[in-house]
Amino acid sequence: MTDHEGCGSEGCCGRRNSSVRLIDPRMPELARCLTLFQYVQAVTGGPVARIDQAGSYAVPSARGDAFAVRPGEITLRLNADGVDSAVVARDEGTGAVAVRLLDAEGRTVHQGRLLSEGDRLLVGLARTVDAGARAAEPSPVPEVPAWENGDQLAQLDAVLTDGGIARRADFARYRGEHRAIDVAVIPSVLDHVCSVGLPVGVAVFAPAAMQACAGRVHVTDRTVGGRVFAALAESSVEIDLAGVRACRLVRSTAAHGPTSSIELDDEDGRCVAVITQFGIVGEQVHTAWEHLAASLPDE
């Protein structure tokens, strides 16, 4: 998601009447900052996939950390070394305030727009840093299990590293089950889980950031141009199927044993979204999801 593309939130893009200050982008300082806020509109994604959720942040995790998706909380996972800077942007005209995480190319990889006046005051507690301070104190290199024989979390962390490009290039080495499936089934999958009340999890990726949610799909919609929408738990997910160039079903070990994930790749080979089951969901839910995954047609 670039500064001028895909965010759709007021105060995201630089303007003449905006003030911007750098805050500490390193973990755990960044995690402490984000968890200060109670009412946030959090957005992660790009032109092909996007997730939008209002609420408060769970403690953000980094690659190699434990991972959980809890109801009602904004779940953010970061490749800490890929988050080059973090800024607080205030629109002096409207008073809108947003915390934005940027990569080395200046792209906004995640934005949290502060919805309450109390949170806009609390943002003053965020530690301000000077330009260039990030490079002087790099984040420690995390220990992440190899994706070739790793569990579900290792697969997600491999995607978080570089969009999954290196993983996809050598995917023949993966020891788990995987197959290409028809991307055209995605609307039917979402419609089905909505109609039967089957909870699912969705993760959406931007460079160095992943935002995830889990729960029941309340409503789905699609446009003639191929955009698919789903209201999922407290989140809104949007996928542009016209921008999806590959779709794969990948099984990896998770809380209930081998668990299927639908991975959507863009034209550059980057994984932009994953539909799956996260964590402990109950044996019946897991079984129903695996039956659905097994029924999906090959590409």
Side-chain angles (χ1 to χ4, degrees):
M1 177 167 59
T2 66
D3 290 353
H4 301 279
E5 180 181 83
C7 67
S9 294
E10 186 178 10
C12 173
C13 301
R15 296 173 181 170
R16 293 181 183 273
N17 63 339
S18 295
S19 63
V20 176
R21 66 185 179 92
L22 287 167
I23 61 174
D24 199 330
R26 297 162 298 178
M27 300 285 260
E29 289 81 2
L30 180 60
R32 294 192 191 104
C33 171
L34 294 179
T35 53
L36 284 173
F37 312 125
Q38 295 299 306
Y39 303 102
V40 182
Q41 180 186 6
V43 180
T44 300
V48 180
R50 164 190 167 110
I51 184 171
D52 188 327
Q53 180 177 350
S56 57
Y57 286 100
V59 177
S61 61
R63 291 176 60 247
D65 291 345
F67 176 69
V69 181
R70 298 183 178 90
E73 296 183 325
I74 298 165
T75 302
L76 193 64
R77 190 169 181 86
L78 302 172
N79 176 10
D81 289 335
V83 179
D84 187 71
S85 58
V87 301
V88 173
R90 180 185 297 271
D91 188 302
E92 303 300 344
T94 65
V97 178
V99 177
R100 297 161 56 199
L101 311 184
L102 295 87
D103 68 5
E105 298 180 20
R107 295 174 295 186
T108 300
V109 301
H110 175 76
Q111 173 180 275
R113 183 185 177 196
L114 309 185
L115 301 178
S116 75
E117 186 57 35
D119 286 342
R120 295 182 194 118
L121 295 174
L122 283 174
V123 80
L125 300 176
R127 177 185 171 193
T128 301
V129 297
D130 296 326
R134 173 81 166 91
E137 300 180 58
S139 302
V141 178
E143 293 186 10
V144 180
W147 60 265
E148 291 94 329
N149 56 1
D151 61 8
Q152 183 189 65
L153 190 52
Q155 310 307 313
L156 295 174
D157 279 348
V159 174
L160 196 55
T161 304
D162 63 351
I165 290 178
R167 169 178 174 260
R168 193 67 80 205
D170 292 325
F171 207 59
R173 301 205 317 257
Y174 181 55
R175 299 180 182 180
E177 299 174 46
H178 58 93
R179 61 186 175 94
I181 61 174
D182 187 351
V183 68
V185 305
I186 298 303
S188 297
V189 169
L190 294 173
D191 288 346
H192 176 74
V193 299
C194 178
S195 65
V196 302
L198 178 64
V200 294
V202 176
V204 172
F205 294 86
M210 178 188 87
Q211 186 174 331
C213 63
R216 294 193 174 189
V217 176
H218 305 300
V219 64
T220 63
D221 196 7
R222 69 187 82 175
T223 68
V224 174
R227 303 192 80 88
V228 177
F229 303 85
L232 174 67
E234 297 85 10
S235 302
S236 172
V237 175
E238 177 183 350
I239 300 171
D240 180 9
L241 294 182
V244 176
R245 291 295 178 267
C247 185
R248 291 175 175 84
L249 192 71
V250 180
R251 299 190 84 206
S252 53
T253 303
H256 294 278
T259 300
S260 298
S261 299
I262 301 172
E263 301 184 358
L264 307 177
D265 294 354
D266 67 10
E267 62 183 0
D268 296 321
R270 295 179 180 273
C271 180
V272 294
V274 170
I275 306 172
T276 188
Q277 298 290 339
F278 296 123
I280 299 175
V281 296
E283 192 61 35
Q284 288 184 334
V285 169
H286 180 263
T287 299
W289 171 251
E290 289 306 306
H291 284 164
L292 172 60
S295 72
L296 299 179
D298 291 341
E299 185 178 32

